[in-house]
Amino acid sequence: MIQETLTPTAARRYYDLIGARYDWFAFYEARAKQLALELLDLAPGQSVLNVGMGTGKESLAIQEAIRPGGAAFGVDLSPAMLLAARQRNLPALCQADGRWLPFAGESFDRLLSTYVLDLIPAWDLISMLSGYRRLLKPGGRLVLLSLTEGVDQASRGFVRLWKLAYNLSPIACGGCRPLQLTGLVEEAGLSLLQREVIVQWGVPSEVIVAVR
Ligand SMILES: C[S@@+](CC[C@H](N)C(=O)[O-])C[C@H]1O[C@@H](n2cnc3c(N)ncnc32)[C@H](O)[C@@H]1O
């Protein structure tokens, strides 16, 4: 695993620059995100947190799925992303670092985080996942989505080139590097339920489902 990534300040600056334009890159993420939302297993009345929610597209889908009686919360490091998400009429948003989330323990039935851990340095991953675990109610479900290692010729070729680019300039890759999270999720005290790899346009994404 690539150990070092962007500093939080560099990540915030980068995503502030990109803002709502992030959705232009959705062409390689759409199928994996669809699966992640399905595996979140949403139902009316649930309380759901989306960490690093970006422009809020998935939070909007979550908000619809947990009506009536549910509550969808979103956090992001980048003020520009929060602004983009607010324009989607998402009420419960706050600026926070996913490593130090400002919520009481056992607050959420579901927690989603898509293409965010890819940006977190290796030495912070387990404590961040432990933080996610702390926020879930007993039996609560975590769904993670990240760039991962290739599984076929096209995606292996893509990842080789991506890593070369990343070594030259992490910022040119938005700070995202491929991860394999199953072991880390278990080290953080969560029970792994499922791992799927979706390849779209040669880009491999890992969907992880775990429960507290
Ligand atoms: C690659 S984008 C993904 C956005 C969204 N989850 C999606 O899948 O469309 C990464 C997002 O994570 C946010 N982010 C980066 N580091 C973060 C951190 N330490 N805590 C919270 N959000 C962070 C960025 O501002 C950005 O919105």
Side-chain angles (χ1 to χ4, degrees), residues 6-8 11-16 19 22-23 26 28-29 33 50-58 75-82 94-101 112-121 128 132 145 173-176:
L6 303 181
T7 64
R12 199 185 59 232
R13 278 206 201 113
Y14 177 84
Y15 286 99
D16 274 348
Y22 183 80
D23 288 340
Y28 71 87
E29 301 177 343
K33 282 184 168 177
N50 187 357
V51 180
M53 85 285 155
T55 68
K57 228 172 167 181
E58 287 67 47
V75 303
D76 202 286
L77 199 56
S78 152
M81 288 301 195
L82 286 161
C94 74
Q95 187 183 4
D97 189 320
R99 281 168 283 197
W100 300 283
L101 289 165
L112 176 71
S113 194
T114 62
Y115 302 106
V116 178
L117 292 172
D118 327 29
L119 281 158
I120 302 300
M128 189 156 169
Y132 289 179
L145 174 55
C173 302
C176 292

Side-chain angles (χ1 to χ4, degrees), residues 48-126:
V48 185
L49 176 64
N50 187 357
V51 180
M53 85 285 155
T55 68
K57 228 172 167 181
E58 287 67 47
S59 289
L60 201 58
I62 290 168
Q63 188 169 262
E64 288 302 314
I66 59 178
R67 275 201 177 117
F73 297 83
V75 303
D76 202 286
L77 199 56
S78 152
M81 288 301 195
L82 286 161
L83 190 65
R86 283 203 179 99
Q87 283 164 357
R88 295 189 197 272
N89 284 329
L90 290 162
L93 303 174
C94 74
Q95 187 183 4
D97 189 320
R99 281 168 283 197
W100 300 283
L101 289 165
F103 300 98
E106 302 189 5
S107 291
F108 300 101
D109 300 292
R110 300 286 184 263
L111 194 153
L112 176 71
S113 194
T114 62
Y115 302 106
V116 178
L117 292 172
D118 327 29
L119 281 158
I120 302 300
W123 50 86
D124 280 340
L125 284 171
I126 291 187

